[in-house]
Amino acid sequence: YAAFLVAYQQGRSFMWKYVLEVEQIWISEFEQPLGAPSGPPATVDASGVYTRDFENVVVTFNTKTNKGNFAWK
């Protein structure tokens, strides 16, 4: 989800796998209000970490560890 959000643009959708039961893919971050992005898609630093700021959260995605993080404001 974090990897999607760092590049999100209006009108895009997200799904990482097809399943019949929503409970199999639901994560708690879906229940939090992101708010509007504060600017264009993410910036990336020299270590390969993408960062994007939204009204209610700062989302990061580390391309070396393939892990995302949500820092809620």
Side-chain angles (χ1 to χ4, degrees):
Y1 188 44
F4 169 77
L5 288 175
V6 295
Y8 169 76
Q9 294 179 10
Q10 183 75 22
R12 299 277 170 98
S13 60
F14 170 76
M15 184 172 214
W16 66 81
K17 65 180 180 177
Y18 178 80
V19 295
L20 296 177
E21 301 296 327
V22 170
E23 295 80 18
Q24 294 174 337
I25 61 169
W26 196 260
I27 58 176
S28 63
E29 287 81 7
F30 290 157
E31 298 175 16
Q32 299 291 329
L34 298 171
S38 298
T43 58
V44 62
D45 67 18
S47 65
V49 176
Y50 285 79
T51 302
R52 187 156 189 206
D53 189 44
F54 290 80
E55 285 181 66
N56 300 314
V57 66
V58 175
V59 179
T60 57
F61 183 77
N62 186 321
T63 58
K64 293 197 174 24
T65 63
N66 210 25
K67 303 241 183 223
N69 185 61
F70 297 82
W72 302 99
K73 298 177 184 178

